[in-house]
Amino acid sequence: MALDAETRDQLIDTVRRFVTERLRPLEAKVSEDDAIPADVIEEMKELGLFGLSIPTEYGGLGLDMEEEVLVCIELGRTSPAFRSSFGTNVGIGSQGLVMFGTPEQKAKYLPGVASGEIVTSFALTEPEAGSDSANVQTRAVRDGDHYVLNGTKRYITNANRADLFTVMARTDPSKPGGGGVSAFLVERNLPGLSVGKPEKKMGQQGAHICDVMFDNVRVPAENRLGGEGEGFKVAMQVLDRGRLHISGICVGVAERLIADCVAYASERKQFGQALAQFQLVQGMIADSKTEALAARALTLESARKRDAGQNVTMEAAASKYFASEMVGRVADRAVQIFGGAGYIAEYGIERFYRDVRIFRIYEGTSQIQQVIISRETLKRGG
């Protein structure tokens, strides 16, 4: 259920002030330490950020898609690592449970997810199943009232902090592709489940990804999410929402970078005048602003369609494709406008340049989005 306008505006204003006053001053420290301070995590919990998309009956804020995107735009105005700390609880780590969970599963887990007491993670990617997400090799074999899981998941966000994993595993090896894949809610403390050390990454220091290994992990059959063989459907519907979430973050980061470029170009002088007076610099600012406005409009329109109950598989893919490519171009122009200052760490522009690169990869690469967009367009007849 959508918030009333006044409540929505208050929430957005609160998040904006939290980003400006609390998070932005910590950006360099988080990057250097590769960690978000524990007290900041607690403040995020108190603000309800871990439960943005969790229904109110389970203690969340119950935002619809448009409201979530608007909040994401505000969260995008600081280092993406902050958002990543609770992003799996809001998106891919919880939405399978929200959409497909039984009443018992929801009652058991969602209140803890909403409060941040339970950190969730989404385990789909494998060494041989990245863009080819239907090629899941992790096995789940029925054994009485349990399934026994064996396999390895790779690049799993928040795995080192997660208490609950949504795991895609193959239950029917005779069915190729996604038809033989099922989804499971797997608790961190089950014997045989282990998590590797965080990977060293190009950007987004403070947000961690790890391998997750399953060695004869016995998962109660009651923890299967949806029907047997429905795992790929669960994953794809979760990713539709996740792609709109990421699109909102991309828009926010772009708007932050544009504001930084305008401030710097207005103050920095060359040849006796501010950089902002040079038409070639103005052209870069104009291109960035136009693309950011287009991404915002596309993402919000797609979110409203989803809230209206429409199938937005194509629109979500188009939003994520355009917004993630857009923010990469904006970040590149920002480095150019800042010049040498954009290449050194002091101004933070080079950090954002590295941070935004992953947006074109996770939640489905740009090339996968192109495949989805073309497939859905052909299916719809134009």
Side-chain angles (χ1 to χ4, degrees), residues 121-136:
S121 199
F122 183 71
L124 171 61
T125 301
E126 297 180 359
E128 300 300 324
S131 291
D132 185 10
S133 55
N135 189 34
V136 169

Side-chain angles (χ1 to χ4, degrees), residues 288-311:
S288 295
K289 186 65 175 179
T290 300
E291 291 188 61
L293 286 170
R296 174 188 269 263
L298 174 59
T299 302
L300 286 171
E301 179 187 13
S302 301
R304 294 184 193 111
K305 286 183 176 180
R306 188 184 187 280
D307 289 335
Q310 298 181 35
N311 181 330

Side-chain angles (χ1 to χ4, degrees), residues 12 63-75 241 243-249 251-252 295-296 299-304:
I12 291 172
L63 302 189
D64 64 21
M65 193 72 248
E66 181 182 2
E67 292 163 347
E68 184 178 329
V69 166
L70 289 170
V71 171
C72 284
I73 291 173
E74 298 303 324
L75 293 167
R241 181 166 189 140
R243 285 164 181 159
L244 290 172
H245 177 104
I246 293 298
S247 299
I249 296 295
V251 171
R296 174 188 269 263
T299 302
L300 286 171
E301 179 187 13
S302 301
R304 294 184 193 111

Side-chain angles (χ1 to χ4, degrees), residues 33 76 144-145 157 174 205 274:
D33 296 347
D145 57 358
T157 302
S174 69
Q205 279 67 42

Side-chain angles (χ1 to χ4, degrees), residues 11-333:
L11 172 63
I12 291 172
D13 182 63
T14 298
V15 173
R16 181 181 296 130
R17 285 188 286 106
F18 181 65
V19 166
T20 302
E21 298 170 9
R22 190 72 176 102
L23 301 186
R24 286 183 58 158
L26 293 172
E27 289 173 350
K29 175 177 172 55
V30 166
S31 179
E32 183 175 345
D33 296 347
D34 194 21
I36 298 172
D39 58 336
V40 173
I41 296 290
E42 290 304 312
E43 291 174 43
M44 290 176 175
K45 292 178 182 179
E46 292 171 9
L47 283 174
L49 296 181
F50 280 80
L52 290 176
S53 61
I54 307 299
T56 55
E57 58 262 39
Y58 298 106
L61 297 184
L63 302 189
D64 64 21
M65 193 72 248
E66 181 182 2
E67 292 163 347
E68 184 178 329
V69 166
L70 289 170
V71 171
C72 284
I73 291 173
E74 298 303 324
L75 293 167
R77 300 182 198 277
T78 187
S79 293
F82 289 113
R83 193 279 323 176
S84 188
S85 66
F86 58 83
T88 48
N89 273 40
V90 172
I92 56 178
S94 71
Q95 288 308 295
L97 180 55
V98 171
M99 296 177 194
F100 296 93
T102 64
E104 293 76 18
Q105 289 170 340
K106 292 178 180 180
K108 182 177 182 180
Y109 295 117
L110 284 182
V113 175
S115 68
E117 179 184 351
I118 295 174
V119 174
T120 61
S121 199
F122 183 71
L124 171 61
T125 301
E126 297 180 359
E128 300 300 324
S131 291
D132 185 10
S133 55
N135 189 34
V136 169
Q137 298 301 310
T138 296
R139 287 293 312 279
V141 178
R142 186 74 183 246
D143 181 22
D145 57 358
H146 285 74
Y147 285 86
V148 180
L149 270 62
N150 283 281
T152 298
K153 298 295 182 177
R154 178 148 292 173
Y155 308 141
I156 306 304
T157 302
N158 286 336
N160 57 323
R161 298 172 50 237
D163 306 290
L164 183 68
F165 296 88
T166 299
V167 181
M168 300 296 148
R170 188 164 297 281
T171 46
D172 188 349
S174 69
K175 291 183 179 179
V181 175
S182 301
F184 298 90
L185 298 169
V186 182
E187 296 181 9
R188 167 68 168 268
N189 58 5
L190 292 180
L193 191 158
S194 58
V195 177
K197 65 180 181 179
E199 301 281 357
K200 293 183 178 180
K201 312 189 308 301
M202 176 188 290
Q204 295 203 22
Q205 279 67 42
H208 300 138
I209 60 173
C210 312
D211 284 0
V212 182
M213 286 71 71
F214 302 89
D215 183 9
N216 291 321
V217 178
R218 294 182 64 82
V219 179
E222 64 191 29
N223 275 32
R224 191 184 66 221
L225 193 57
E228 191 165 290
E230 292 185 347
F232 199 65
K233 180 176 75 172
V234 172
M236 293 306 100
Q237 291 198 30
V238 166
L239 287 171
D240 276 353
R241 181 166 189 140
R243 285 164 181 159
L244 290 172
H245 177 104
I246 293 298
S247 299
I249 296 295
C250 290
V251 171
V253 174
E255 292 183 354
R256 157 71 184 274
L257 288 169
I258 292 166
D260 287 353
C261 286
V262 168
Y264 184 80
S266 298
E267 296 174 2
R268 171 73 168 162
K269 289 184 169 54
Q270 290 288 283
F271 301 101
Q273 59 182 332
L275 285 180
Q277 299 303 311
F278 293 97
Q279 288 185 329
L280 293 179
V281 173
Q282 293 172 0
M284 287 188 282
I285 292 173
D287 286 348
S288 295
K289 186 65 175 179
T290 300
E291 291 188 61
L293 286 170
R296 174 188 269 263
L298 174 59
T299 302
L300 286 171
E301 179 187 13
S302 301
R304 294 184 193 111
K305 286 183 176 180
R306 188 184 187 280
D307 289 335
Q310 298 181 35
N311 181 330
V312 294
T313 296
M314 182 186 72
E315 289 82 357
S319 297
K320 198 268 180 179
Y321 174 46
F322 184 77
S324 62
E325 294 283 342
M326 173 276 298
V327 76
R329 292 189 292 269
V330 171
D332 187 73
R333 294 185 196 113

